[in-house]
Amino acid sequence: AFPLRIGDTVIGVLTLAAAKARAFAGREEFLQVVADLVAIRLHNAILHQEIQRRADGLEESVAERTRELQAERDRTHAILETMGESVVVTDLEGQVLFANPATSTLTGYSRDELLGLRLWHNWTAQMLVDARPAAEHALASGQAWQGEVYGRRKDGVPYIARLTGSPLHEAGAPRLPVGAVWVQRDVTDLRQAERLKDQFVSNVSHELRTPISIIGLSCDNLVAYGARLSESQRAQLIQDVHDQAHLLGRLVDDILVLSRIDVGRVP
């Protein structure tokens, strides 16, 4: 029996047997060389098995990680595809690399048409002067940016969007931006509603001022000239106050109804 050694470590035993007595006499040195060669081969085989085992484990780990990344990508893609807000990914030059369906709805351009265009390709001339430099500066410096932008859809219809941009960084280099994600929310209807509300407030102020003025004037006439007015004149002034007071009440009631509608208290 010859120990199979690698350095100081015994990794096995080579056992030889023969039917004749002293069959191996005088051959111990040769057989030790054989044992040493067997030890090297055995050691190499063990190393190969270990490497193969680790390679198989690494391959499985890579495959599992690949499946996880694929699932994460699919989830992210599904979220982006179903979001109501426009989501655009650009490079450092503002060139569109990805756009979800909501972006096409907002701008009127298909996703194939958007790819390669600049984020601000359809902004108004004033926005290119006011907002584009700030957005480009934020993009280059890796800072977030937000603001309202005015653009035109493919068919020429104007729109207003609330735009928020966040930098994308290189993995392992948080200070190095490689692009940005821009989220746009269409606020055209909201701004139109706000304008209508302001117009309504202005109109209501005018409508309320008219009966108040008539009531005040009629009362002033009654106080100043009541003794010199005929009965019919006084009656007419009182009737004017009555009519305008009722008109004022109806206007106030309308405003209260609109207020209840606004807070969802009217079915």
Side-chain angles (χ1 to χ4, degrees), residues 45 116 139 243 255:
L139 185 64
D243 293 343
I255 294 172

Side-chain angles (χ1 to χ4, degrees), residues 9 18 21-22 30 38 40 42 46 49 98 122 127 132 147 150 176 195 201 221 224 239-240 246 255 267:
T9 304
R22 300 182 57 79
F30 168 74
V38 172
I40 293 174
L42 178 59
I46 293 173
Q49 289 181 342
F98 169 84
N122 61 338
M127 285 291 99
R132 177 181 171 180
Y150 293 75
L176 181 63
R195 285 194 293 271
V201 172
N221 287 334
Q239 184 64 44
D240 290 342
H246 279 274
I255 294 172

Side-chain angles (χ1 to χ4, degrees), residues 217-233:
L217 181 60
S218 298
C219 291
D220 290 343
N221 287 334
L222 284 173
V223 172
Y225 308 109
R228 286 180 285 172
L229 296 176
S230 65
E231 188 67 28
S232 62
Q233 289 174 326

Side-chain angles (χ1 to χ4, degrees), residues 177-189:
V178 295
V181 177
W182 303 89
V183 178
Q184 301 180 96
R185 184 165 63 92
D186 190 353
V187 294
T188 307
D189 293 340

Side-chain angles (χ1 to χ4, degrees), residues 49-109:
Q49 289 181 342
E50 179 65 18
I51 291 173
Q52 187 62 45
R53 185 183 64 79
R54 294 191 179 186
D56 292 342
L58 180 60
E59 183 178 354
E60 178 60 30
S61 178
V62 170
E64 178 64 26
R65 183 56 180 161
T66 301
R67 288 192 292 269
E68 292 176 357
L69 291 174
Q70 180 70 35
E72 182 65 26
R73 190 190 70 173
D74 292 343
R75 284 194 295 270
T76 302
H77 186 265
I79 292 172
L80 293 176
E81 291 291 301
T82 57
M83 281 185 65
E85 287 80 13
S86 161
V87 179
V88 177
V89 179
T90 68
D91 60 15
L92 286 176
E93 301 299 324
Q95 184 174 334
V96 176
L97 304 177
F98 169 84
N100 69 342
T103 307
S104 298
T105 302
L106 175 65
T107 64
Y109 292 86

Side-chain angles (χ1 to χ4, degrees), residues 210-223 233-250:
T210 300
I212 291 175
S213 299
I214 295 175
I215 290 173
L217 181 60
S218 298
C219 291
D220 290 343
N221 287 334
L222 284 173
V223 172
Q233 289 174 326
R234 284 195 296 271
Q236 183 60 52
L237 288 174
I238 293 173
Q239 184 64 44
D240 290 342
V241 172
H242 178 271
D243 293 343
Q244 296 303 317
H246 279 274
L247 174 59
L248 188 61
R250 289 197 298 273

Side-chain angles (χ1 to χ4, degrees), residues 95-137:
Q95 184 174 334
V96 176
L97 304 177
F98 169 84
N100 69 342
T103 307
S104 298
T105 302
L106 175 65
T107 64
Y109 292 86
S110 69
R111 286 201 276 189
D112 290 338
E113 291 174 320
L114 288 168
L115 295 179
L117 296 176
R118 295 291 189 269
L119 173 70
W120 39 78
H121 75 280
N122 61 338
W123 290 6
T124 63
Q126 190 62 43
M127 285 291 99
L128 293 177
V129 174
D130 295 341
R132 177 181 171 180
E136 286 184 309
H137 175 73

